[in-house]
Amino acid sequence: RERRYRFAYTVRIENQGRETVQLQGRHWIITNADGRVDEVRGAGVVGAQPTLPPGEGFEYTSGCELETPRGTMQGSYQMIVAGSGERFDADIAAFDLAQPLTLN
């Protein structure tokens, strides 16, 4: 009735590089089926700023709310290399958010 649709998503981050890195922040671009775009920026993910040695990973589950039964999310994680302090963005490819039976 309130036109609120809640979605959960799980992300696994893996360090496939040669140096230890730390996730510092996130930037999400969330688009609903009507084309409305919301951006979310913040420190870490789910209250954590994980440090990932080479070959290690971190998995978390979070969620978002839309006013439509479908939408997309994409964005980036802001990372820092432990030894050098070099910063870089790790892009997150777009993925769909869809309530069951709304795609066909």
Side-chain angles (χ1 to χ4, degrees), residues 1 6 8 15 23 30 39-40 44 46 56 60 63 68 83 89 93-95:
R1 284 186 316 192
R6 291 177 181 88
N15 181 357
L23 190 154
I30 306 164
E39 293 193 46
V40 176
V46 294
E56 295 294 317
Y60 72 95
T68 60
D89 286 346
F95 58 92

Side-chain angles (χ1 to χ4, degrees), residues 2 10 15 24 30 37 41 44 47 56 58 72-73 79-80 87:
E2 297 178 25
T10 300
N15 181 357
Q24 296 284 298
I30 306 164
V37 176
R41 294 180 187 270
E56 295 294 317
F58 177 79
T72 61
M73 285 182 69
M79 310 293 289
I80 187 168
R87 296 179 182 274

Side-chain angles (χ1 to χ4, degrees), residues 84-98:
S84 68
E86 176 187 350
R87 296 179 182 274
F88 66 94
D89 286 346
D91 291 333
I92 305 163
F95 58 92
D96 292 327
L97 303 167

Side-chain angles (χ1 to χ4, degrees), residues 4 29-38 66-68 71-72:
R4 295 281 187 209
I29 301 167
I30 306 164
T31 307
N32 75 16
D34 294 332
R36 178 180 170 186
V37 176
D38 288 313
L66 297 178
E67 295 173 349
T68 60
T72 61

